[in-house]
Amino acid sequence: MGRWALDVAFVWKAVLTLGLVLLYYCFSIGITFYNKWLTKSFHFPLFMTMLHLAVIFLFSALSRALVQCSSHRARVVLSWTDYLKRVAPTALATALDVGLSNWSFLYITVSLYTMTKSSAVLFILIFSLIFKLEELRAALVLVVLLIAGGLFMFTYKSTQFNVKGFSLVLGASFIGGIRWTLTQMLLQKAELGLQNPIDTMFHLQPLMFLGLFPLFAIFEGLHLSTSEKIFRFQDTGLLLRVLGSLFLGGILAFGLGFSEFLLVSRTSSLTLSIAGIFKEVCTLLLAAHLLGDQISLLNWLGFALCLSGISLHVALKTLHSRGEGGSRPLKGLSSSPDLELLLRSSQPEDEDNEEEDYFMAQGQQ
């Protein structure tokens, strides 16, 4: 009877894990293809991003209210001094990362975006060394060389290479290195009380919106004000379809963070890291099959080399965590750009703290 119960528990856990992974894949891969699909007909990626930020803020505010009502505990609200001094740099870097990433979809394929954005872990390692969050080790140098070499091979003689789009997404990856390093430093300040992902989203989104607004005003403001799809619309049905499509992206962005949080809280961060690596492969296969992205053998070898570097980094983080006495793997980096906030150096002390020591959802894009 005991053996049967253990078998049932194992099967149930496996089914639950598979379901959570599939849910995460749906949101993560879905928002990547959604961004590419929408930018084909709606050439205002910065406005799209700003609307997504507004939707995420509304959902995070609603979630905070629901949690507060159910737990009868007040949620954290930062003072203006802490808000502008501590949160603003992270919010600005996050806004630029997300905005440039979505902007790049106007020029490059999903496969090139996926590969290039995966290199963000390279810049995170560099800035972690600069800010003394990581110690320089031979293994880290190997990780950097593998990722950099893989990126070079993937983009070398690519038939669908676009300099402008590649520069945008590479710039986003570079800024992402600053973003996630600052975010780690922000979350490690326990006195701020932003360990809960909902609270982090709630505080970041307004400053992200304001940080992205100048770029939007310069590059898209005039064109959007004269566009018949938004401000000079003549077809109400078309306007509603456009707004509905934009709102859908905000739901996907919020759902991505929610699915990641569920996967980590119900399984482990290592499961999320491994799932993120396979998600990149699935994204490239779907891009080649559905969108006709052309990927040569050299490109695939480069991608495999990059994934090897990322996998090595995940393994090193896990071993480092267990070497420090932790029973659970460290919330280290994975291959996905929306998972990079798993840059955590501290372990939760109990089951309640595990949920509050997770990350904010906005790295999704």
Side-chain angles (χ1 to χ4, degrees), residues 56-57 59-67 75-76 194-205 254 257-258 261 355-356 358-361:
I56 294 173
F57 175 75
F59 273 86
S60 60
L62 178 61
S63 300
R64 275 167 54 96
L66 293 175
V67 171
R75 308 306 303 174
V76 61
L194 293 183
Q195 285 77 23
N196 188 289
I198 299 299
D199 293 328
T200 310
M201 282 190 291
F202 177 80
H203 283 85
L204 280 179
Q205 305 311 305
F254 186 84
F258 180 72
F261 180 60
E355 294 187 355
E356 295 192 357
Y358 196 51
F359 54 93
M360 68 131 188

Side-chain angles (χ1 to χ4, degrees), residues 335-350:
S335 61
S336 171
D338 46 68
L339 305 181
E340 290 150 9
L341 189 52
L342 301 177
L343 255 170
R344 295 284 297 167
S345 64
S346 60
Q347 291 291 328
E349 296 178 356
D350 51 46

Side-chain angles (χ1 to χ4, degrees), residues 153-350:
M153 291 174 61
F154 188 85
T155 58
Y156 183 71
K157 291 186 177 180
S158 176
T159 57
Q160 295 176 303
F161 183 80
N162 182 282
V163 176
K164 187 172 183 179
F166 177 74
S167 300
L168 285 171
V169 72
L170 190 62
S173 295
F174 176 81
I175 296 174
I178 304 175
R179 165 193 179 183
W180 298 122
T181 305
L182 290 176
T183 303
Q184 177 181 357
M185 297 170 67
L186 178 68
L187 292 185
Q188 287 179 345
K189 296 182 183 299
E191 66 273 13
L192 294 180
L194 293 183
Q195 285 77 23
N196 188 289
I198 299 299
D199 293 328
T200 310
M201 282 190 291
F202 177 80
H203 283 85
L204 280 179
Q205 305 311 305
L207 287 178
M208 289 175 61
F209 186 94
L210 294 176
L212 203 58
F213 186 82
L215 275 180
F216 159 74
I218 294 172
F219 292 100
E220 295 182 0
L222 180 61
H223 299 291
L224 186 66
S225 63
T226 58
S227 171
E228 294 184 355
K229 290 186 176 181
I230 299 292
F231 290 112
R232 295 187 61 190
F233 72 95
Q234 298 178 353
D235 185 349
T236 305
L238 176 61
L239 175 65
L240 293 177
R241 286 195 297 272
V242 171
L243 293 178
S245 299
L246 293 172
F247 186 77
L248 173 62
I251 296 177
L252 288 174
F254 186 84
L256 173 60
F258 180 72
S259 63
E260 290 172 340
F261 180 60
L262 272 181
L263 183 58
V264 168
S265 62
R266 296 297 181 182
T267 58
S268 70
S269 57
L270 181 61
T271 301
L272 181 61
S273 299
I274 296 174
I277 295 173
F278 283 102
K279 188 212 70 175
E280 304 291 14
V281 178
C282 294
T283 302
L284 287 181
L285 291 175
L286 287 173
H289 179 70
L290 298 177
L291 303 180
D293 290 3
Q294 301 176 15
I295 306 176
S296 66
L297 178 60
L298 181 64
N299 299 152
W300 277 114
L301 290 175
F303 182 68
L305 190 64
C306 187
L307 282 187
S308 299
I310 295 169
S311 302
L312 176 60
H313 185 60
V314 172
L316 290 173
K317 281 289 185 181
T318 305
L319 292 175
H320 179 65
S321 172
R322 291 177 175 173
E324 291 182 343
S327 60
R328 275 176 277 189
L330 182 69
K331 296 180 180 180
L333 297 173
S334 78
S335 61
S336 171
D338 46 68
L339 305 181
E340 290 150 9
L341 189 52
L342 301 177
L343 255 170
R344 295 284 297 167
S345 64
S346 60
Q347 291 291 328
E349 296 178 356
D350 51 46

